[in-house]
C-alpha cells in the first residue's frame, strides 16, 4: 500500500529570481492504487513536479511524504519508484532482454531472479518473442513497451510516467493508452502520469490535476473538471474541441455581445449571476460545442437563445458534424448531429442550451458559482 | 593549501567547507585538500569558476597520461594522427557510487556512440569523450535521451556539453579552451545536455554585461513576475508570432496583447518591436 502526500510544494530553479517559481503551492494527497494525471500546456510545471517526486529535482519548499515518511532528501535510488520517460531511449547495442535487465544487473540481482522478472514483464507486455532482438529491429510501439518493461521489472509500488506516449503516432497512442490502463489494473501500482493531451487525461485518470504556469488550477475526477471547471483556463483546456468563449454583457437575464449575440439566460442560471452581483456587468460566457443545437425541438424550448448563424467551415465526422459558424462578428463551433450537416455558406438556426453554460468573472476568470 | 582555504573564506564569506559536495543547484562545489568548498553560484563569475576548477585539487589533471588530453591542454605539441573531424563531449557525473561504477558508467556511455576515438575521466566527476564525425552522429536531443536512460539505471545526475566537429590541427587546443569555458557555463543551465547554441547567449551576457549597473537596473525594471518572464520567453520562442505565443501560454490573443500593452506602459519596452523583445529576453537570461 502506498500513499503520497505533496504538501505545499514549491520549486524555484537556481538562476530564477526570488519569487519566480516553476511550481507554486502544489498540494495533493494521492491514494493507494490511484491513477493520477497531471495535465497542462508545456512549461506548466507538471514534469517538474513529477521529477521532484522521483528525486530528480530538489524540492525548494514544502514536503513530500510517502506513506507518511518525509522523503524530500531521500536519494532517487532509495525511493521505491519506477519511472518511464517522455523521450524514452534504449541501449542500441543491447538486446531487449538486456535492456530490461540492465538496471537489475547494476543492482546485483542474481541471474535467475533477473530472468524471472524480465520474462514476467515481457509476458505482460507481449514481448516474449522479441527478447533477443536489438532495438533497431523493433517497431515504435514495441520499443515503447520495452521502456515500460524496464520500469515494470523494478517491482516498484509507484509508477511515474512523463508523457510516455508523446513520440508515438496517433493510432499507436490510442492502443498504448489502453495498454497502460490495463497494465495499471494488473499491477495495481499507484501511478502518476504526466501529459499535455487532455484526451489522455480524460480517458485514463481516476483524478486529474490541471496545471497552468506552475499553479494547480483544479483537482478532480474527469467528470468534475469537465462539467464544473473552476476557471476559464480549465474550461478551455479540458474538452475537444474547446469550449466557446464569448465576452458578453449581462443585464436583466439577457447576455449580449457587440458581435450580434443576444440570448436569454434561464432563470436558475440568471439567479446565480444576480445573487453574485453580476447584473449589468461584463462576464465571459462559456458554451461547449455540444451544447449548441440545430434541432427544432431545442429552439421550441429556448426560443430566446436561438440565433441565425452562417456556416463558415463544416466538417462531417460520421455520426456528428462540426459547424464553425458566425453570427455577425461572433464566431463559435457547434457539434451537431450528422443529419444537421450544412455546407459552408449555409444559414442555420442554432440554439444555445444555456442551462449547461458556464459564466466566468471577466477579470479573475474564476467560474461564477 | 589550508591557508588557501582560509584566504578563500575571507574573500567569500558565504563559502563553506563541507564533507560532501552540496546538492543545492545554487551552489558551486570544488575540492581543495580533500575538502569540498561550496560557494553560492551567484557570487562567482564563469571566469572565476573556470579558474577554480583549474586550480582545485580534484581537477588538477597532471596525472592524466593520455595523448589526447596532453594535446588538448597544451601539454604536448604532438597532434593526434586521426584524419576525420572530431567533436569533444565533456561530461560531469554526480552521485557515482564507486570507481568501479564510474568505469561501468563510461563503458555504457561509450557503447552508445558509433565511433569513439578516446574516452577518459579527467577527475572523479568529469570526463571526456572524443568522437569521429560520421553520417550517424547523435544530435543533442539523442544524447539527452541516452543520458536520461543511463542516469535512470545508474541513479546518477549527469550533464553533457556536446562540442562542435573540428579538424584536428594546432588550433584545436585553443578551441577546446573555449569549449571548456562553455562547458562550465552549461553546468548552471536548466537542461542537462547543452551545446554551443544553447550556452552562447548566457555565456556572452555573463562575460560582458551581467554585472554592469545598466544591465542590473534594466533587469530589475522588467523582472516583474513569473507571468511576464514566461510571456517574454514565449514570444521569443515563437518568433513574435502572437497567435502561436497565445497558444503556447494558453491565453486568448487579446489577453496576450493586453499584457504586452501593460508591459509597454510599465517599462517603456514594446514587445511587438523585435529589438525591444530581444533585449528583454537577454535581460532575463
Amino acid at each position: 500500500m502506498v500513499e503520497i502526500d505533496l504538501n505545499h510544494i514549491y520549486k524555484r530553479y537556481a538562476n530564477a529570481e526570488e519569487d519566480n517559481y516553476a511550481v507554486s503551492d502544489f498540494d495533493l494527497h494521492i491514494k493507494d492504487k490511484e491513477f493520477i494525471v497531471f495535465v497542462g500546456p508545456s512549461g506548466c510545471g507538471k514534469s517538474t513536479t513529477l521529477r521532484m517526486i522521483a528525486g530528480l529535482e530538489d524540492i525548494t519548499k514544502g514536503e513530500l511524504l510517502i506513506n507518511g515518511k518525509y522523503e524530500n532528501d531521500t536519494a532517487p535510488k532509495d525511493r521505491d519508484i519506477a519511472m518511464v520517460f517522455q523521450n524514452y531511449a534504449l541501449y542500441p547495442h543491447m538486446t531487449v532482454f538486456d535492456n530490461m535487465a540492465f538496471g537489475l544487473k547494476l543492482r546485483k540481482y542474481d541471474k535467475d531472479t533477473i530472468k524471472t522478472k524480465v520474462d514476467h514483464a515481457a509476458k505482460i507486455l507481449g514481448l516474449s518473442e522479441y527478447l533477443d532482438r536489438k532495438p533497431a529491429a523493433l517497431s515504435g510501439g514495441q520499443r515503447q513497451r520495452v521502456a515500460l518493461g524496464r520500469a515494470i521489472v523494478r517491482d516498484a509500488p509507484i509508477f511515474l510516467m512523463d508523457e510516455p506516449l508523446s513520440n508515438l503516432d496517433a493510432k499507436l497512442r490510442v492502443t498504448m493508452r489502453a495498454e497502460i490502463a490495463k497494465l495499471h489494473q494488473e499491477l495495481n501500482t499507484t501511478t502518476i502520469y504526466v501529459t499535455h493531451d487532455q484526451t489522455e487525461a480524460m480517458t485514463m485518470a481516476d483524478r486529474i490535476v490541471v496545471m497552468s504556469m506552475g499553479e494547480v488550477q483544479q483537482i478532480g475526477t474527469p467528470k468534475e473538471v469537465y462539467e464544473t471547471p473552476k476557471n476559464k483556463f480549465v474550461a478551455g483546456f479540458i474538452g475537444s474541441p474547446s469550449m466557446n468563449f464569448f465576452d458578453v454583457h449581462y443585464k436583466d437575464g439577457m447576455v449580449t455581445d457587440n458581435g450580434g449575440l443576444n440570448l436569454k439566460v434561464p432563470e436558475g442560471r440568471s439567479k446565480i449571476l444576480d445573487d453574485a452581483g453580476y447584473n449589468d456587468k461584463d462576464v465571459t460566457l462559456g458554451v461547449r460545442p455540444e451544447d449548441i443545437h440545430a434541432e427544432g425541438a431545442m429552439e421550441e424550448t429556448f426560443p430566446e437563445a436561438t440565433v441565425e448563424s452562417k456556416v463558415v467551415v463544416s466538417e462531417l465526422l460520421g455520426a456528428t458534424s462540426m459547424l464553425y459558424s458566425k453570427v455577425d462578428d461572433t464566431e463559435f463551433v457547434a457539434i451537431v448531429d450528422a443529419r444537421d450537416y450544412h455546407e459552408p455558406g449555409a444559414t442555420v438556426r442554432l440554439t444555445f442550451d444555456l442551462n449547461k453554460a458556464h459564466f466566468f468573472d471577466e477579470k479573475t476568470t474564476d467560474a461564477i458559482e | 593549501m589550508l591557508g588557501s582555504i582560509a584566504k578563500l573564506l575571507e574573500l567569500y564569506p558565504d563559502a563553506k567547507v563541507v564533507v560532501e559536495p552540496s546538492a543545492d543547484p545554487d551552489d558551486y562545489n570544488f575540492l581543495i585538500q580533500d575538502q569540498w568548498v561550496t560557494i553560492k553560484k551567484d557570487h562567482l563569475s564563469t571566469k572565476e569558476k573556470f579558474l577554480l576548477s583549474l586550480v582545485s585539487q580534484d581537477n588538477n589533471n597532471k596525472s592524466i597520461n593520455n595523448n589526447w588530453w596532453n594535446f588538448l591542454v597544451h601539454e604536448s605539441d604532438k597532434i593526434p594522427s586521426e584524419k576525420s573531424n572530431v567533436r569533444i563531449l565533456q561530461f560531469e557525473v554526480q552521485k557515482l557510487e564507486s570507481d568501479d561504477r564510474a568505469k561501468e558508467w563510461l563503458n555504457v556511455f561509450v557503447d552508445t556512440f558509433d565511433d569513439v576515438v578516446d574516452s577518459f575521466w579527467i577527475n572523479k566527476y568529469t570526463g571526456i569523450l572524443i568522437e569521429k564525425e560520421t553520417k550517424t552522429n547523435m544530435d543533442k536531443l539523442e544524447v539527452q535521451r541516452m543520458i536520461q536512460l543511463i542516469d535512470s539505471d545508474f541513479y546518477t545526475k549527469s550533464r553533457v556539453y556536446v562540442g562542435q566537429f573540428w579538424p584536428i590541427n594546432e588550433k584545436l587546443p585553443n578551441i577546446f579552451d573555449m569549449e571548456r569555458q562553455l562547458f562550465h557555463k552549461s553546468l548552471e543551465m536548466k537542461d542537462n545536455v547543452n551545446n554551443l547554441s544553447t550556452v552562447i547567449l548566457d555565456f556572452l551576457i555573463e562575460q560582458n554585461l551581467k554585472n554592469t549597473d545598466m544591465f542590473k537596473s534594466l533587469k530589475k525594471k522588467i523582472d516583474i513576475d513569473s507571468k511576464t518572464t514566461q510571456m517574454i520567453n514565449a514570444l521569443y520562442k515563437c518568433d513574435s508570432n502572437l497567435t502561436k505565443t497565445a497558444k503556447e501560454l494558453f491565453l486568448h490573443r487579446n489577453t496576450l496583447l493586453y499584457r504586452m500593452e501593460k508591459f509597454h506602459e510599465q517599462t517603456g519596452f514594446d514587445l511587438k518591436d523585435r529589438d525591444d523583445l530581444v533585449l528583454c529576453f537577454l535581460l532575463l537570461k
Side-chain angles (χ1 to χ4, degrees):
Chain A
M1 169 171 149
V2 181
E3 295 200 326
I4 305 168
D5 285 290
L6 294 137
N7 292 339
H8 305 286
I9 299 271
Y10 288 77
K11 173 70 189 179
R12 187 171 64 84
Y13 283 104
N15 296 331
E17 291 300 308
E18 193 82 359
D19 58 349
N20 193 348
Y21 289 100
V23 175
S24 289
D25 201 18
F26 192 106
D27 203 41
L28 173 71
H29 171 77
I30 300 172
K31 290 174 266 183
D32 187 33
K33 295 175 188 144
E34 205 171 9
F35 198 114
I36 293 280
V37 176
F38 296 170
V39 70
S42 61
C44 72
K46 53 192 189 301
S47 288
T48 306
T49 308
L50 194 79
R51 292 173 63 79
M52 284 193 280
I53 299 170
L56 303 173
E57 297 278 359
D58 295 320
I59 294 169
T60 311
K61 217 159 73 178
E63 52 178 19
L64 165 71
L65 307 179
I66 298 178
N67 283 338
K69 197 177 144 230
Y70 182 79
E71 299 275 7
N72 285 40
D73 306 324
T74 309
K77 71 180 169 67
D78 299 323
R79 299 183 191 198
D80 216 354
I81 284 173
M83 187 153 172
V84 182
F85 295 97
Q86 175 181 12
N87 294 317
Y88 65 89
L90 300 171
Y91 296 111
H93 57 288
M94 291 186 199
T95 62
V96 168
F97 183 95
D98 288 335
N99 261 289
M100 282 159 74
F102 188 63
L104 302 176
K105 279 184 190 161
L106 282 178
R107 256 152 250 131
K108 311 274 181 231
Y109 279 81
D110 66 74
K111 268 189 177 170
D112 291 343
T113 312
I114 292 175
K115 192 170 178 329
T116 311
K117 282 176 185 280
V118 172
D119 283 345
H120 176 67
K123 201 176 156 202
I124 293 175
L125 295 163
L127 287 168
S128 301
E129 52 190 298
Y130 303 103
L131 287 172
D132 293 332
R133 288 201 192 171
K134 295 261 176 76
L138 299 176
S139 69
Q142 287 164 340
R143 280 202 283 264
Q144 178 61 19
R145 273 186 240 155
V146 180
L148 282 172
R150 286 172 40 81
I152 293 173
V153 294
R154 293 192 179 178
D155 276 338
I158 302 172
F159 248 47
L160 305 182
M161 301 195 189
D162 189 0
E163 306 231 16
L165 308 183
S166 60
N167 290 332
L168 304 179
D169 63 51
K171 202 176 161 200
L172 197 53
R173 212 179 303 161
V174 176
T175 319
M176 287 304 293
R177 209 161 70 194
E179 285 201 26
I180 289 177
K182 200 175 122 215
L183 203 64
H184 176 247
Q185 280 165 8
E186 261 180 63
L187 300 172
N188 266 324
T189 41
T190 304
T191 303
I192 307 173
Y193 186 104
V194 162
T195 180
H196 65 273
D197 181 342
Q198 62 89 30
T199 315
E200 276 179 25
M202 290 295 284
T203 52
M204 300 171 91
D206 290 327
R207 276 193 303 156
I208 296 176
V209 178
V210 187
M211 293 181 76
S212 169
M213 295 194 172
E215 287 172 15
V216 173
Q217 303 294 314
Q218 187 168 358
I219 300 171
T221 63
K223 194 170 150 57
E224 280 164 359
V225 293
Y226 188 79
E227 290 181 354
T228 48
K230 279 203 167 151
N231 58 34
K232 192 180 159 194
F233 175 83
V234 177
F237 193 80
I238 300 289
S240 177
S242 297
M243 184 182 282
N244 297 293
F245 292 113
F246 308 93
D247 294 327
V248 295
H249 188 76
Y250 171 72
K251 193 177 179 189
D252 300 334
M254 296 294 287
V255 284
T256 49
D257 78 344
N258 298 327
L261 214 61
N262 187 17
L263 309 169
K264 184 173 166 46
V265 182
E267 224 169 85
R269 306 309 308 272
S270 61
K271 190 174 180 309
I272 295 171
L273 288 169
D274 292 339
D275 289 352
Y278 283 91
N279 195 31
D280 206 8
K281 294 250 168 78
D282 288 339
V283 292
T284 304
L285 164 69
V287 185
R288 293 218 180 266
E290 64 269 30
D291 296 327
I292 302 175
H293 302 269
E295 306 98 81
M298 282 305 281
E299 186 174 349
E300 279 168 33
T301 320
F302 302 112
E304 288 178 277
T306 301
V307 293
E308 192 155 282
S309 60
K310 197 170 181 187
V311 177
V312 184
V313 177
S314 55
E315 293 169 350
L316 183 62
L317 300 173
T320 57
S321 55
M322 303 233 266
L323 303 179
Y324 295 85
S325 314
K326 226 175 162 182
V327 178
D328 294 340
D329 288 336
T330 304
E331 291 183 26
F332 57 90
V333 55
I335 301 179
V336 297
D337 195 280
R339 280 173 303 196
D340 296 311
Y341 174 78
H342 291 270
E343 292 289 342
T347 303
V348 54
R349 291 186 68 76
L350 293 171
T351 305
F352 288 66
D353 182 357
L354 294 192
N355 271 322
K356 292 185 183 158
H358 302 263
F359 294 94
F360 305 96
D361 184 285
E362 198 206 12
K363 292 204 172 62
T364 65
T365 76
D366 287 342
I368 302 168
E369 294 163 321
Chain B
M1 234 1 157
L2 261 180
S4 317
I5 293 184
K7 264 267 179 325
L8 201 77
L9 293 176
E10 221 173 89
L11 278 170
Y12 297 93
D14 282 1
K16 283 183 193 134
V17 180
V18 287
V19 186
E20 276 195 341
S22 156
D24 188 336
D26 291 344
D27 291 339
Y28 183 78
N29 301 297
F30 56 95
L31 197 65
I32 294 180
Q33 198 117 26
D34 287 332
Q35 281 186 298
W36 281 101
V37 180
T38 299
I39 299 185
K40 290 275 168 231
K41 277 180 184 167
D42 294 359
H43 300 172
L44 295 172
S45 71
T46 304
K47 263 190 182 166
E48 285 173 310
K49 277 176 255 178
F50 181 59
L51 200 63
L52 273 172
S53 76
L54 290 177
V55 298
S56 76
Q57 170 208 350
D58 196 51
N59 289 302
N60 200 340
N61 311 304
K62 286 221 168 89
S63 58
I64 300 169
N65 189 15
N66 177 291
N67 292 341
W68 263 101
W69 179 250
N70 291 338
F71 167 64
L72 289 172
V73 297
H74 310 270
E75 295 273 326
S76 148
D77 294 336
K78 205 180 152 202
I79 300 175
S81 57
E82 193 57 54
K83 292 275 184 298
S84 12
N85 288 354
V86 293
R87 69 176 176 185
I88 300 161
L89 289 97
Q90 301 174 72
F91 49 86
E92 181 199 75
V93 186
Q94 284 183 22
K95 303 189 192 271
L96 275 164
E97 287 165 2
S98 62
D99 289 352
D100 284 347
R101 249 316 125 88
K103 267 184 211 155
E104 276 179 286
W105 190 99
L106 186 53
N107 285 341
V108 171
F109 187 52
V110 167
D111 280 341
T112 61
F113 293 88
D114 282 340
D115 223 333
V116 175
V117 178
D118 205 349
S119 65
F120 46 91
W121 291 99
I122 55 175
N123 59 49
K124 211 172 167 184
Y125 299 94
T126 53
I128 280 187
L129 182 145
I130 301 159
E131 187 197 14
K132 264 193 220 174
E133 183 167 26
T134 65
K135 282 181 181 149
T136 54
N137 296 109
M138 283 195 270
D139 60 22
K140 183 175 80 74
L141 182 65
E142 287 167 320
V143 175
Q144 201 160 18
R145 287 177 185 176
M146 256 328 137
I147 281 296
Q148 196 173 51
L149 176 73
I150 296 173
D151 276 348
S152 73
D153 280 326
F154 284 86
Y155 287 113
T156 43
K157 228 176 170 176
S158 310
R159 305 185 68 98
V160 179
Y161 178 83
V162 183
Q164 310 294 115
F165 284 102
W166 305 107
I168 304 164
N169 55 33
E170 68 289 348
K171 286 182 195 155
L172 188 56
N174 294 334
I175 291 173
F176 181 63
D177 281 345
M178 183 72 187
E179 286 195 340
R180 283 186 85 192
Q181 292 193 48
L182 290 164
F183 169 55
H184 276 273
K185 181 69 202 167
S186 78
L187 297 178
E188 293 165 23
M189 304 197 62
K190 193 181 162 208
D191 283 344
N192 60 343
V193 176
N194 286 282
N195 60 14
L196 183 58
S197 310
T198 60
V199 181
I200 193 74
L201 275 183
D202 288 66
F203 180 76
L204 291 176
I205 287 167
E206 188 169 284
Q207 296 278 305
N208 301 307
L209 282 172
K210 207 163 192 171
N211 291 318
T212 62
D213 286 336
M214 183 187 81
F215 198 93
K216 279 196 242 174
S217 350
L218 281 179
K219 185 178 165 71
K220 212 171 173 187
K221 198 172 172 186
I222 68 152
D223 202 356
I224 301 161
D225 53 27
S226 59
K227 279 183 185 159
T228 310
T229 309
Q230 278 169 330
M231 174 172 73
I232 292 167
N233 288 336
L235 277 164
Y236 184 85
K237 188 179 155 194
C238 300
D239 293 326
S240 300
N241 180 320
L242 295 184
T243 312
K244 265 196 205 167
T245 309
K247 211 174 165 192
E248 170 92 12
L249 295 171
F250 234 85
L251 292 175
H252 192 278
R253 199 171 175 275
N254 290 342
T255 314
L256 174 65
L257 274 168
Y258 169 75
R259 287 193 189 167
M260 288 166 73
E261 272 160 31
K262 208 173 121 196
F263 182 79
H264 192 179
E265 278 166 28
Q266 277 178 310
T267 64
F269 291 118
D270 179 5
L271 295 176
K272 279 182 255 170
D273 180 294
R274 184 81 191 151
D275 293 331
D276 277 6
L277 173 64
V278 171
L279 175 63
C280 291
F281 176 76
L282 294 180
L283 284 167
L284 290 174
K285 278 261 164 209

